[in-house]
């Protein structure tokens, strides 16, 4: 099964916008478990902070927080990575992916996508990931 890390912008879009590729990526995980999702506490906290800043309904925030903690695989990275100088907070996704031995990071972030690949982990957008899922027998 594919191991995946999803960045905050894809999470937020996938949770808040019911149409589009980020939403389909989240649904593929949440409803059918087509891949293993890996997360860190730092990624969860950033997502919650962004949702609060966007004035997302507290019920949606609480439901998302419970679902992610219950169903994603939490890792605690031991290796500190400082590759993305333009936005150091993006390094947390690389740290999570390394710790999880992930296959993919799904991102819409320009700093992450610019890397294309990091230590064998492909960094792709939601559309490309959906294409990959469509070709997998899960």
């Amino acid at each position: 099964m594919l191991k995946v890390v999803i960045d905050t912008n894809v999470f937020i879009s996938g949770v808040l916008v019911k149409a589009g590729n980020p939403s389909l990526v989240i649904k593929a995980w949440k409803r059918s478990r087509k891949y293993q999702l890996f997360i860190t506490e730092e990624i969860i906290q950033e997502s919650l902070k962004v949702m609060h800043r966007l004035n997302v309904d507290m019920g949606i925030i609480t439901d998302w927080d419970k679902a992610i903690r219950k169903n994603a695989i939490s890792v605690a990275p031991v290796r500190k990575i400082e590759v993305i100088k333009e936005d150091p907070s993006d390094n947390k996704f690389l740290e999570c992916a390394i710790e999880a031995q992930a296959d993919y990071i799904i991102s819409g972030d320009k700093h992450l996508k610019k890397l294309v690949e990091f230590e064998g982990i492909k960094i792709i957008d939601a559309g490309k990931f959906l294409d990959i899922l469509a070709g997998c027998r899960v």
Side-chain angles (χ1 to χ4, degrees):
M1 183 171 286
L2 296 175
K3 296 179 178 182
V4 175
V5 173
I6 298 176
D7 85 356
T8 303
N9 63 38
V10 175
F11 266 131
I12 301 299
S13 296
V15 170
L16 299 181
V17 180
K18 298 301 176 204
N21 289 339
S23 177
L24 293 172
V25 167
I26 298 299
K27 287 176 187 171
W29 169 71
K30 196 172 177 186
R31 293 186 182 157
S32 59
R33 301 287 188 254
K34 289 193 172 191
Y35 59 89
Q36 292 178 315
L37 177 62
F38 288 82
I39 197 89
T40 65
E41 185 61 31
E42 189 177 6
I43 293 170
I44 292 171
Q45 291 305 316
E46 180 180 76
S47 296
L48 294 174
K49 187 172 128 183
V50 170
M51 285 190 217
H52 283 292
R53 193 173 63 233
L54 294 173
N55 294 314
V56 174
D57 180 86
M58 210 44 217
I60 293 171
I61 295 172
T62 301
D63 288 348
W64 181 86
D65 188 32
K66 285 180 185 173
I68 204 77
R69 289 178 190 281
K70 180 181 176 190
N71 299 302
I73 301 168
S74 184
V75 296
V78 293
R79 182 174 161 203
K80 192 73 177 154
I81 296 173
E82 297 176 356
V83 172
I84 302 172
K85 306 293 185 200
E86 303 92 339
D87 189 357
S89 69
D90 288 338
N91 288 308
K92 70 177 146 289
F93 301 103
L94 300 174
E95 293 167 357
C96 180
I98 291 294
E99 189 66 31
Q101 298 179 355
D103 300 297
Y104 298 97
I105 296 173
I106 305 170
S107 179
D109 182 273
K110 66 181 178 183
H111 303 116
L112 282 167
K113 285 175 40 177
K114 186 169 72 172
L115 291 176
V116 181
E117 188 172 307
F118 181 74
E119 295 188 14
I121 301 163
K122 293 174 181 57
I123 302 167
I124 59 174
D125 64 26
K128 286 186 179 136
F129 185 67
L130 290 170
D131 291 342
I132 290 163
L133 282 182
C136 287
R137 287 189 231 177
V138 182

